[in-house]
Short mmCIF file of all heavy atoms in Angstrom, two decimals:
data_model
loop_
_atom_site.label_atom_id
_atom_site.label_comp_id
_atom_site.label_asym_id
_atom_site.label_seq_id
_atom_site.Cartn_x
_atom_site.Cartn_y
_atom_site.Cartn_z
N PRO A 395 -27.60 -9.08 46.74
CA PRO A 395 -28.22 -10.41 47.05
C PRO A 395 -28.58 -11.14 45.72
O PRO A 395 -28.63 -10.50 44.72
CB PRO A 395 -29.37 -9.96 47.87
CG PRO A 395 -29.80 -8.65 47.34
CD PRO A 395 -28.49 -8.03 46.94
N PRO A 396 -29.00 -12.36 45.90
CA PRO A 396 -29.52 -13.10 44.73
C PRO A 396 -30.65 -12.38 44.11
O PRO A 396 -31.38 -11.70 44.75
CB PRO A 396 -29.82 -14.44 45.27
CG PRO A 396 -29.07 -14.58 46.58
CD PRO A 396 -28.91 -13.21 47.06
N GLN A 398 -33.46 -13.54 42.92
CA GLN A 398 -34.76 -13.84 43.43
C GLN A 398 -35.20 -13.15 44.64
O GLN A 398 -36.37 -13.01 44.92
CB GLN A 398 -34.88 -15.45 43.62
CG GLN A 398 -33.90 -15.95 44.63
CD GLN A 398 -32.57 -16.39 43.96
OE1 GLN A 398 -32.22 -15.93 42.92
NE2 GLN A 398 -31.91 -17.38 44.67
N GLU A 399 -34.22 -12.64 45.39
CA GLU A 399 -34.59 -11.90 46.66
C GLU A 399 -35.00 -10.49 46.31
O GLU A 399 -35.50 -9.79 47.22
CB GLU A 399 -33.39 -11.94 47.60
CG GLU A 399 -33.03 -13.24 48.13
CD GLU A 399 -31.95 -13.13 49.18
OE1 GLU A 399 -31.58 -11.96 49.53
OE2 GLU A 399 -31.38 -14.21 49.63
N ARG A 400 -34.72 -10.00 45.08
CA ARG A 400 -34.96 -8.63 44.74
C ARG A 400 -36.06 -8.46 43.71
O ARG A 400 -36.63 -7.37 43.60
CB ARG A 400 -33.76 -7.98 44.21
CG ARG A 400 -32.60 -8.04 45.12
CD ARG A 400 -31.42 -7.25 44.50
NE ARG A 400 -30.75 -7.95 43.50
CZ ARG A 400 -30.53 -7.46 42.22
NH1 ARG A 400 -31.04 -6.32 41.93
NH2 ARG A 400 -29.87 -8.12 41.32
N ARG A 401 -36.45 -9.55 43.05
CA ARG A 401 -37.29 -9.36 41.85
C ARG A 401 -38.64 -8.76 42.10
O ARG A 401 -39.16 -7.95 41.33
CB ARG A 401 -37.43 -10.74 41.17
CG ARG A 401 -38.02 -10.65 39.73
CD ARG A 401 -38.07 -12.00 39.07
NE ARG A 401 -36.81 -12.61 38.97
CZ ARG A 401 -35.98 -12.28 38.06
NH1 ARG A 401 -36.26 -11.34 37.10
NH2 ARG A 401 -34.79 -12.95 38.02
N ASN A 402 -39.25 -9.06 43.25
CA ASN A 402 -40.59 -8.53 43.52
C ASN A 402 -40.60 -7.18 44.29
O ASN A 402 -41.65 -6.72 44.59
CB ASN A 402 -41.34 -9.56 44.34
CG ASN A 402 -41.60 -10.88 43.54
OD1 ASN A 402 -41.75 -10.79 42.34
ND2 ASN A 402 -41.59 -12.01 44.25
N SER A 403 -39.44 -6.65 44.49
CA SER A 403 -39.43 -5.39 45.29
C SER A 403 -39.82 -4.23 44.42
O SER A 403 -39.70 -4.26 43.12
CB SER A 403 -38.03 -5.14 45.74
OG SER A 403 -37.90 -3.83 46.36
N THR A 404 -40.39 -3.23 45.01
CA THR A 404 -40.79 -2.03 44.23
C THR A 404 -39.53 -1.12 44.03
O THR A 404 -39.74 -0.10 43.37
CB THR A 404 -41.83 -1.20 45.05
OG1 THR A 404 -41.27 -0.85 46.26
CG2 THR A 404 -43.09 -1.94 45.27
N LEU A 405 -38.40 -1.50 44.45
CA LEU A 405 -37.19 -0.76 44.16
C LEU A 405 -36.04 -1.73 43.82
O LEU A 405 -36.09 -2.90 44.21
CB LEU A 405 -36.78 0.15 45.35
CG LEU A 405 -36.61 -0.55 46.73
CD1 LEU A 405 -35.21 -0.95 46.85
CD2 LEU A 405 -37.08 0.34 47.84
N LEU A 406 -35.04 -1.26 43.12
CA LEU A 406 -33.90 -2.05 42.90
C LEU A 406 -33.05 -2.10 44.14
O LEU A 406 -32.26 -1.14 44.37
CB LEU A 406 -33.04 -1.46 41.68
CG LEU A 406 -31.77 -2.28 41.37
CD1 LEU A 406 -32.06 -3.69 41.09
CD2 LEU A 406 -31.07 -1.63 40.23
N ASN A 407 -33.20 -3.11 44.92
CA ASN A 407 -32.54 -3.12 46.25
C ASN A 407 -31.30 -4.03 46.12
O ASN A 407 -31.44 -5.18 45.99
CB ASN A 407 -33.57 -3.70 47.20
CG ASN A 407 -33.08 -3.57 48.67
OD1 ASN A 407 -31.90 -3.45 48.94
ND2 ASN A 407 -34.00 -3.54 49.55
N VAL A 408 -30.18 -3.47 46.24
CA VAL A 408 -28.98 -4.19 46.05
C VAL A 408 -28.20 -4.48 47.32
O VAL A 408 -27.03 -4.89 47.34
CB VAL A 408 -28.02 -3.40 45.06
CG1 VAL A 408 -28.67 -3.26 43.72
CG2 VAL A 408 -27.63 -2.06 45.69
N GLU A 409 -28.84 -4.20 48.54
CA GLU A 409 -28.04 -4.32 49.72
C GLU A 409 -28.75 -5.36 50.63
O GLU A 409 -28.59 -5.21 51.89
CB GLU A 409 -27.99 -2.95 50.43
CG GLU A 409 -27.22 -1.94 49.68
CD GLU A 409 -25.84 -2.39 49.47
OE1 GLU A 409 -25.36 -3.27 50.18
OE2 GLU A 409 -25.06 -1.85 48.60
N GLY A 410 -29.48 -6.30 50.15
CA GLY A 410 -30.10 -7.31 50.98
C GLY A 410 -31.28 -6.85 51.77
O GLY A 410 -31.74 -7.51 52.70
N TYR A 411 -31.88 -5.73 51.33
CA TYR A 411 -33.08 -5.21 52.03
C TYR A 411 -34.21 -6.09 51.73
O TYR A 411 -34.54 -6.34 50.49
CB TYR A 411 -33.35 -3.77 51.62
CG TYR A 411 -34.35 -3.03 52.42
CD1 TYR A 411 -34.09 -2.67 53.72
CD2 TYR A 411 -35.65 -2.89 51.89
CE1 TYR A 411 -35.01 -2.01 54.42
CE2 TYR A 411 -36.62 -2.29 52.65
CZ TYR A 411 -36.33 -1.87 53.98
OH TYR A 411 -37.26 -1.26 54.69
N GLN A 412 -34.98 -6.58 52.68
CA GLN A 412 -36.06 -7.52 52.49
C GLN A 412 -37.17 -6.84 51.71
O GLN A 412 -37.56 -5.71 51.91
CB GLN A 412 -36.60 -7.93 53.84
CG GLN A 412 -37.55 -9.08 53.79
CD GLN A 412 -37.90 -9.64 55.11
OE1 GLN A 412 -37.34 -9.10 56.12
NE2 GLN A 412 -38.86 -10.55 55.20
N SER A 413 -37.67 -7.54 50.71
CA SER A 413 -38.77 -7.01 49.91
C SER A 413 -39.96 -6.65 50.72
O SER A 413 -40.32 -7.35 51.69
CB SER A 413 -39.17 -8.21 48.90
OG SER A 413 -40.29 -7.75 48.15
N PRO A 414 -40.59 -5.50 50.35
CA PRO A 414 -41.78 -5.11 51.20
C PRO A 414 -42.89 -6.21 51.24
O PRO A 414 -43.59 -6.26 52.21
CB PRO A 414 -42.26 -3.86 50.41
CG PRO A 414 -41.04 -3.36 49.71
CD PRO A 414 -40.20 -4.55 49.38
N GLN A 415 -42.96 -7.02 50.20
CA GLN A 415 -43.97 -7.99 50.11
C GLN A 415 -43.85 -9.05 51.20
O GLN A 415 -44.83 -9.79 51.52
CB GLN A 415 -44.08 -8.70 48.77
CG GLN A 415 -44.73 -7.84 47.72
CD GLN A 415 -43.82 -6.84 47.11
OE1 GLN A 415 -42.71 -6.60 47.64
NE2 GLN A 415 -44.33 -6.09 46.13
N THR A 416 -42.62 -9.23 51.86
CA THR A 416 -42.34 -10.28 52.79
C THR A 416 -42.49 -9.72 54.22
O THR A 416 -42.15 -10.42 55.16
CB THR A 416 -40.89 -10.79 52.56
OG1 THR A 416 -40.00 -9.80 52.82
CG2 THR A 416 -40.79 -11.35 51.17
N ARG A 417 -42.82 -8.47 54.41
CA ARG A 417 -43.04 -7.86 55.78
C ARG A 417 -44.43 -7.46 55.95
O ARG A 417 -45.24 -7.27 55.02
CB ARG A 417 -42.17 -6.67 55.83
CG ARG A 417 -40.64 -6.88 55.68
CD ARG A 417 -39.81 -5.69 56.09
NE ARG A 417 -40.28 -4.49 55.42
CZ ARG A 417 -39.77 -4.07 54.25
NH1 ARG A 417 -38.95 -4.83 53.64
NH2 ARG A 417 -40.18 -2.92 53.67
N ASP A 418 -44.82 -7.43 57.23
CA ASP A 418 -46.16 -6.94 57.60
C ASP A 418 -46.38 -5.51 57.29
O ASP A 418 -47.45 -5.15 57.03
CB ASP A 418 -46.44 -7.29 59.09
CG ASP A 418 -46.41 -8.75 59.37
OD1 ASP A 418 -46.68 -9.56 58.40
OD2 ASP A 418 -46.10 -9.19 60.45
N VAL A 419 -45.31 -4.70 57.48
CA VAL A 419 -45.47 -3.21 57.29
C VAL A 419 -44.54 -2.80 56.20
O VAL A 419 -43.33 -3.16 56.20
CB VAL A 419 -45.18 -2.50 58.63
CG1 VAL A 419 -45.21 -1.02 58.34
CG2 VAL A 419 -46.02 -2.97 59.71
N ASP A 420 -45.07 -2.01 55.25
CA ASP A 420 -44.19 -1.44 54.20
C ASP A 420 -43.57 -0.21 54.69
O ASP A 420 -44.28 0.73 54.92
CB ASP A 420 -45.12 -1.28 52.96
CG ASP A 420 -44.25 -0.69 51.81
OD1 ASP A 420 -43.09 -0.48 51.99
OD2 ASP A 420 -44.91 -0.41 50.75
N PRO A 421 -42.28 -0.19 54.85
CA PRO A 421 -41.64 1.03 55.40
C PRO A 421 -41.43 2.11 54.38
O PRO A 421 -41.12 3.24 54.75
CB PRO A 421 -40.25 0.53 55.86
CG PRO A 421 -39.96 -0.49 54.88
CD PRO A 421 -41.28 -1.14 54.55
N LEU A 422 -41.68 1.89 53.12
CA LEU A 422 -41.42 2.87 52.09
C LEU A 422 -42.71 3.61 51.83
O LEU A 422 -43.40 3.47 50.85
CB LEU A 422 -40.93 2.19 50.78
CG LEU A 422 -39.68 1.39 50.98
CD1 LEU A 422 -39.23 0.76 49.65
CD2 LEU A 422 -38.51 2.23 51.50
N MET A 513 -34.38 5.31 48.99
CA MET A 513 -33.17 4.61 48.73
C MET A 513 -32.11 5.48 48.08
O MET A 513 -30.92 5.36 48.38
CB MET A 513 -33.38 3.38 47.88
CG MET A 513 -33.92 2.20 48.60
SD MET A 513 -32.88 1.61 49.94
CE MET A 513 -31.42 1.07 49.09
N GLY A 546 -38.15 4.52 56.90
CA GLY A 546 -38.16 3.04 57.19
C GLY A 546 -37.11 2.25 56.45
O GLY A 546 -37.21 1.00 56.47
N ILE A 547 -36.04 2.90 55.97
CA ILE A 547 -35.04 2.15 55.19
C ILE A 547 -34.03 1.56 56.14
O ILE A 547 -33.28 2.27 56.89
CB ILE A 547 -34.34 3.06 54.22
CG1 ILE A 547 -35.30 3.63 53.20
CG2 ILE A 547 -33.24 2.30 53.51
CD1 ILE A 547 -35.96 2.60 52.36
N GLY A 548 -34.02 0.23 56.28
CA GLY A 548 -33.17 -0.44 57.20
C GLY A 548 -31.66 -0.21 56.91
O GLY A 548 -30.85 -0.18 57.84
N GLU A 549 -31.31 -0.12 55.60
CA GLU A 549 -29.93 0.13 55.31
C GLU A 549 -29.47 1.39 55.84
O GLU A 549 -28.33 1.54 56.36
CB GLU A 549 -29.70 0.11 53.82
CG GLU A 549 -28.31 0.36 53.36
CD GLU A 549 -28.16 0.37 51.80
OE1 GLU A 549 -29.09 0.01 51.10
OE2 GLU A 549 -27.15 0.88 51.40
N ASP A 574 -32.97 -1.67 65.17
CA ASP A 574 -34.06 -1.05 64.30
C ASP A 574 -33.91 -1.49 62.87
O ASP A 574 -34.91 -1.71 62.16
CB ASP A 574 -33.98 0.50 64.33
CG ASP A 574 -34.33 1.07 65.74
OD1 ASP A 574 -35.01 0.33 66.46
OD2 ASP A 574 -34.05 2.26 66.06
N ALA A 575 -32.62 -1.53 62.43
CA ALA A 575 -32.41 -1.93 61.08
C ALA A 575 -32.78 -3.39 60.83
O ALA A 575 -33.43 -3.76 59.80
CB ALA A 575 -30.87 -1.82 60.70
N LEU A 576 -32.49 -4.27 61.84
CA LEU A 576 -32.92 -5.70 61.68
C LEU A 576 -34.42 -5.74 61.74
O LEU A 576 -35.07 -6.57 60.95
CB LEU A 576 -32.33 -6.46 62.89
CG LEU A 576 -32.51 -8.00 62.84
CD1 LEU A 576 -31.98 -8.59 61.53
CD2 LEU A 576 -31.89 -8.67 64.01
N GLN A 577 -35.09 -5.03 62.57
CA GLN A 577 -36.53 -5.04 62.67
C GLN A 577 -37.17 -4.62 61.38
O GLN A 577 -38.22 -5.04 60.94
CB GLN A 577 -37.08 -4.19 63.83
CG GLN A 577 -38.52 -4.29 64.07
CD GLN A 577 -38.96 -3.50 65.30
OE1 GLN A 577 -38.14 -2.84 65.88
NE2 GLN A 577 -40.22 -3.58 65.64
N ALA A 578 -36.49 -3.70 60.65
CA ALA A 578 -36.94 -3.24 59.39
C ALA A 578 -36.67 -4.24 58.23
O ALA A 578 -37.04 -3.98 57.09
CB ALA A 578 -36.32 -1.84 59.02
N GLY A 579 -36.01 -5.34 58.50
CA GLY A 579 -35.76 -6.32 57.58
C GLY A 579 -34.42 -6.35 56.94
O GLY A 579 -34.15 -6.99 55.91
N TYR A 580 -33.43 -5.54 57.51
CA TYR A 580 -32.21 -5.45 56.95
C TYR A 580 -31.23 -6.51 57.60
O TYR A 580 -30.68 -6.22 58.65
CB TYR A 580 -31.56 -4.02 57.11
CG TYR A 580 -30.38 -3.76 56.24
CD1 TYR A 580 -30.41 -3.69 54.86
CD2 TYR A 580 -29.10 -3.61 56.80
CE1 TYR A 580 -29.32 -3.48 54.07
CE2 TYR A 580 -27.95 -3.39 56.05
CZ TYR A 580 -28.13 -3.33 54.68
OH TYR A 580 -26.96 -3.08 53.91
N ARG A 581 -31.02 -7.63 56.93
CA ARG A 581 -30.39 -8.78 57.53
C ARG A 581 -28.95 -8.52 57.99
O ARG A 581 -28.51 -9.24 58.96
CB ARG A 581 -30.55 -9.99 56.57
CG ARG A 581 -32.03 -10.46 56.44
CD ARG A 581 -32.07 -11.73 55.65
NE ARG A 581 -31.53 -11.63 54.31
CZ ARG A 581 -32.27 -11.18 53.26
NH1 ARG A 581 -33.50 -10.69 53.49
NH2 ARG A 581 -31.69 -11.10 52.05
N PRO A 582 -28.11 -7.83 57.23
CA PRO A 582 -26.69 -7.65 57.68
C PRO A 582 -26.60 -7.15 59.13
O PRO A 582 -25.61 -7.29 59.78
CB PRO A 582 -26.12 -6.69 56.73
CG PRO A 582 -26.93 -6.94 55.43
CD PRO A 582 -28.32 -7.17 55.95
N ALA A 583 -27.65 -6.53 59.61
CA ALA A 583 -27.61 -5.97 60.99
C ALA A 583 -27.45 -7.13 61.98
O ALA A 583 -26.94 -6.85 63.08
CB ALA A 583 -28.80 -5.11 61.27
#
Side-chain angles (χ1 to χ4, degrees):
Q398 60 269 25
E399 293 185 10
R400 303 187 280 126
R401 191 176 301 279
N402 295 327
S403 174
T404 59
L405 54 92
L406 178 60
N407 190 336
V408 296
E409 296 299 341
Y411 188 76
Q412 190 174 354
S413 172
Q415 283 80 353
T416 64
R417 299 192 305 274
D418 295 334
V419 180
D420 181 359
L422 301 180
M513 281 300 296
I547 300 298
E549 181 184 343
D574 290 342
L576 185 60
Q577 187 175 3
Y580 192 68
R581 292 188 299 276

